[in-house]
Amino acid sequence: MSDPAGVTVVVDAANCVGSVPDGWWRDRAGATRRLRDSIAPEGLRQSLHLTEAPEVVLVVEGRARGVESTETVRVVDAPGSGDDAIVEVVEQLAGRRAGVVVVTADRGLRARVDDLGARTVGPRIVRPG
């Protein structure tokens, strides 16, 4: 992938949290916080072969809403469907001509964001276990 200035990685929190059967369903907000805290922009730079660390946006939905942003991960609460919120974020970023990578295993979402010019990768990039 060429590395346009300002690459943003948009993470489908529900899909990534659900990719590892570690009891996340008992505490969705807690599982989402653990995911947020495990995401390292520098690690993503290396894994995605970027020249600089990306901005990271974590889109949360349902019972995970209310998880706070950190210095390195901006959290967006989806008012309804997480997929729709991710598409909206990608549309906004595409309008700025920024490079966008969406982290999800959801085939329907992948098709929607591919149509907008985003690159997609699977959850293992943020959940290697």
Side-chain angles (χ1 to χ4, degrees), residues 31 41 54 78 90 95 97:
V90 171
R97 294 229 183 270

Side-chain angles (χ1 to χ4, degrees), residues 24-60:
W24 59 263
W25 51 90
R26 290 187 291 268
D27 180 8
R28 292 172 196 234
T32 301
R33 278 187 206 91
R34 288 188 297 278
L35 172 63
R36 177 205 60 201
D37 294 346
S38 73
I39 297 172
E42 180 58 24
L44 288 171
R45 181 195 69 76
Q46 293 172 10
S47 297
L48 295 169
H49 309 288
L50 304 172
T51 57
E52 59 185 50
E55 174 186 0
V56 179
V57 177
L58 181 68
V59 178
V60 301

Side-chain angles (χ1 to χ4, degrees), residues 8-17 32 35-36 39 56-62 64-67 73-90 93 102-103 109:
T8 302
V9 174
V10 180
V11 180
D12 179 351
N15 188 267
C16 292
V17 164
T32 301
L35 172 63
R36 177 205 60 201
I39 297 172
V56 179
V57 177
L58 181 68
V59 178
V60 301
E61 62 184 284
R65 283 189 203 107
V67 169
V73 177
R74 178 168 60 99
V75 177
V76 172
D77 285 340
S81 158
D83 290 3
D84 290 345
I86 290 166
V87 169
E88 287 179 27
V89 169
V90 171
L93 293 166
V102 176
V103 182
L109 178 58

